[in-house]
């Protein structure tokens, strides 16, 4: 992956980079009953192949390569369906739904998560069911409806606690805390996020820990404790780099750029924002690039760098035009 810590490109270099931005049916069923607990070789082969394809999809998803991730997930889904492996189908539908969620295709995400929930509840796969309910809550968060997300997270969290599932509990605490923060319930949200952080630190789940730190930084920034927010974002960035999580790295860098601007450190602000922009250019993420260009323009303006601000504005307008013209 590209090194997000490389020296930031200057506005004219970024302009050059931005110019490249573009927006079976089963035929061999075995009949009869068997007293052996061993699965047929065909079933085992399909499950193993599906697992490998899902792992490939996860790797591409982590790197933000959503087209490739979807390709592998759909191959995995075909394999699971070919042997009627319903738990595998439900898990893969959750993965596909998360991909749709990242792309902002909310209705497609809801369809995938709802199907996964229905299958997992019917076959008694409680953990997959909790994950599906949590995912439906995440859709509501992305839609800007945290009040609708809270009962979904609380439902899944109660089940995770009843089964002593600490890994899922940490994820649900994070999401519930995020929803409450967005509702302005900062103390409750902070408590949930701190508990999620404790669990993830104990289990060394660094990607999840980075997300906890990012949200805690958001709370401190809202309370004007910018120094603490910056420290938490620095820590989140370290963990995301450790896990080579390019999406998380880009978010951390952008947040650091905004916080540094609020602190009056304009050189640092521009540096962080330019580094975040480079990641989004490589990922061909036009919407995120537009947001970064707006933030860069704002930082350049408050720093009194009118020429740079004008150049970022022109770049943003070119990307907007290209995005609108894209089929």
């Amino acid at each position: 992956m590209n090194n997000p810590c490389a020296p930031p490109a200057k506005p004219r270099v970024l302009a050059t980079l931005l110019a490249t931005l573009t927006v079976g049916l089963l035929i061999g069923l075995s009949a009869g009953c068997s007293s052996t607990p061993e699965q047929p070789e065909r079933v085992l082969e399909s499950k193993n192949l599906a697992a490998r394809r899902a792992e490939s999809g996860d790797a591409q998803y982590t790197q933000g390569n959503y087209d490739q991730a979807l390709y592998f997930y759909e191959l995995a889904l075909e394999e699971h369906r070919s042997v009627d492996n319903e738990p595998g189908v439900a898990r893969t539908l959750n993965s596909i739904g998360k991909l749709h969620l990242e792309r902002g295709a909310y209705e497609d995400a809801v369809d995938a998560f709802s199907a996964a929930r229905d299958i997992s509840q019917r076959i008694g796969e409680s953990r997959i069911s909790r994950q599906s309910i949590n995912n439906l809550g995440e859709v509501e968060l992305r839609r800007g409806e945290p009040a609708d997300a809270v009962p979904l997270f609380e439902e899944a969290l109660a089940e995770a606690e009843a089964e002593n599932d600490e890994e899922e509990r940490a994820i649900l605490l994070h999401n519930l805390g995020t929803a409450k923060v967005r509702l302005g319930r900062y103390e409750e949200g902070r408590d949930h996020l701190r508990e999620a952080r404790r669990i993830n630190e104990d289990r060394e789940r660094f990607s999840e820990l980075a997300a906890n730190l990012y949200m805690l930084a958001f709370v401190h920034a809202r309370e004007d404790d910018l120094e603490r927010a910056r420290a938490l974002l620095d820590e989140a960035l370290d963990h995301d780099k450790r896990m080579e999580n390019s999406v998380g790295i880009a978010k951390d860098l952008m947040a650091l750029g905004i916080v540094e601007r609020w602190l009056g450190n304009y050189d640092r602000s521009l540096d962080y924002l330019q580094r975040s922009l480079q990641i989004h250019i490589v990922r061909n993420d036009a919407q995120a690039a537009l947001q970064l260009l707006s933030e860069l323009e704002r930082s350049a303006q408050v720093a009194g760098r009118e020429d740079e601000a004008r150049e970022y504005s022109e770049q943003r307008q070119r990307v907007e035009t290209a995005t609108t013209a894209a089929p």
Side-chain angles (χ1 to χ4, degrees):
M1 61 176 282
N2 290 318
N3 181 6
C5 295
K10 297 301 181 183
R12 293 188 183 280
V13 178
L14 289 172
T16 302
L17 289 169
L18 283 160
T20 67
L21 187 64
T22 61
V23 167
L25 291 175
L26 292 174
I27 59 175
L29 291 174
S30 299
C33 299
S34 172
S35 60
T36 174
E38 295 180 356
Q39 299 185 70
E41 185 176 346
R42 167 76 178 91
V43 175
L44 287 173
E45 288 177 353
S46 288
K47 286 185 175 181
N48 290 335
L49 179 57
R52 291 195 297 272
R53 287 173 169 170
E55 288 174 0
S56 297
D58 291 343
Q60 295 297 325
Y61 175 87
T62 299
Q63 296 301 317
N65 301 323
Y66 297 140
D67 288 338
Q68 283 297 308
L70 182 59
Y71 170 75
F72 284 115
Y73 287 147
E74 288 180 338
L75 290 177
L77 189 62
E78 289 177 7
E79 286 298 327
H80 286 308
R81 283 175 168 161
S82 75
V83 292
D84 196 32
N85 178 20
E86 291 192 294
V89 168
R91 282 192 298 270
T92 307
L93 284 169
N94 272 329
S95 296
I96 290 173
K98 280 185 169 291
L99 191 151
H100 288 315
L101 181 59
E102 285 301 319
R103 285 179 156 172
Y106 299 136
E107 292 308 316
D108 290 337
V110 168
D111 288 345
F113 294 146
S114 297
R117 177 197 58 197
D118 294 345
I119 292 170
S120 57
Q121 289 182 345
R122 174 169 52 78
I123 63 179
E125 288 281 353
S126 59
R127 195 167 202 247
I128 302 175
S129 173
R130 289 197 297 276
Q131 292 168 346
S132 305
I133 295 168
N134 171 65
N135 292 336
L136 287 166
E138 288 196 33
V139 175
E140 298 304 326
L141 272 184
R142 295 291 184 92
R143 282 174 165 168
E145 301 292 343
D148 293 333
V150 166
L152 290 165
F153 294 143
E154 289 177 336
E155 176 187 354
L157 178 60
E159 294 181 10
E161 290 176 339
E163 296 191 16
N164 295 315
D165 188 338
E166 285 291 278
E167 182 178 311
E168 286 298 313
R169 182 168 173 262
I171 292 170
L172 289 159
L173 282 166
H174 173 87
N175 288 341
L176 182 58
T178 299
K180 289 186 176 180
V181 165
R182 291 183 181 174
L183 288 168
R185 297 157 63 179
Y186 295 124
E187 285 304 314
E188 293 177 69
R190 196 199 319 268
D191 288 345
H192 293 318
L193 291 165
R194 283 174 172 168
E195 177 64 5
R197 176 184 181 179
R198 183 194 64 76
I199 295 169
N200 288 322
E201 283 178 336
D202 289 346
R203 293 173 173 261
E204 297 186 342
R205 294 176 59 82
F206 297 114
S207 290
E208 290 81 0
L209 177 57
N212 304 150
L213 294 166
Y214 179 93
M215 276 308 303
L216 284 166
F218 176 85
V219 175
H220 283 282
R222 290 297 298 265
E223 295 175 340
D224 292 325
D225 187 357
L226 298 180
E227 294 289 350
R228 181 57 178 155
R230 178 172 59 185
L232 290 167
L233 288 170
D234 280 334
E235 192 176 348
L237 181 60
D238 287 342
H239 291 311
D240 276 325
K241 285 180 178 179
R242 176 186 297 191
M243 302 307 295
E244 298 186 348
N245 179 6
S246 66
V247 175
I249 291 168
K251 287 177 60 178
D252 299 335
L253 288 170
M254 180 176 174
L256 279 164
I258 294 171
V259 168
E260 291 291 2
R261 182 174 70 227
W262 290 342
L263 286 167
N265 302 321
Y266 302 128
D267 286 341
R268 288 183 184 177
S269 173
L270 289 164
D271 174 64
Y272 283 128
L273 294 171
Q274 287 166 355
R275 286 157 59 186
S276 181
L277 177 60
Q278 289 179 72
I279 295 173
H280 289 299
I281 290 171
V282 172
R283 293 178 58 236
N284 202 35
D285 189 337
Q287 292 304 313
L290 285 171
Q291 187 177 3
L292 262 299
L293 286 166
S294 293
E295 295 295 345
L296 280 161
E297 181 182 357
R298 191 170 294 115
S299 288
Q301 285 174 338
V302 297
R305 302 178 184 181
E306 294 302 325
D307 289 344
E308 289 186 31
R310 188 179 308 108
E311 195 158 352
Y312 289 128
S313 176
E314 291 171 357
Q315 291 170 18
R316 176 176 51 78
Q317 292 169 22
R318 286 196 290 273
V319 174
E320 286 177 343
T321 301
T323 303
T324 303

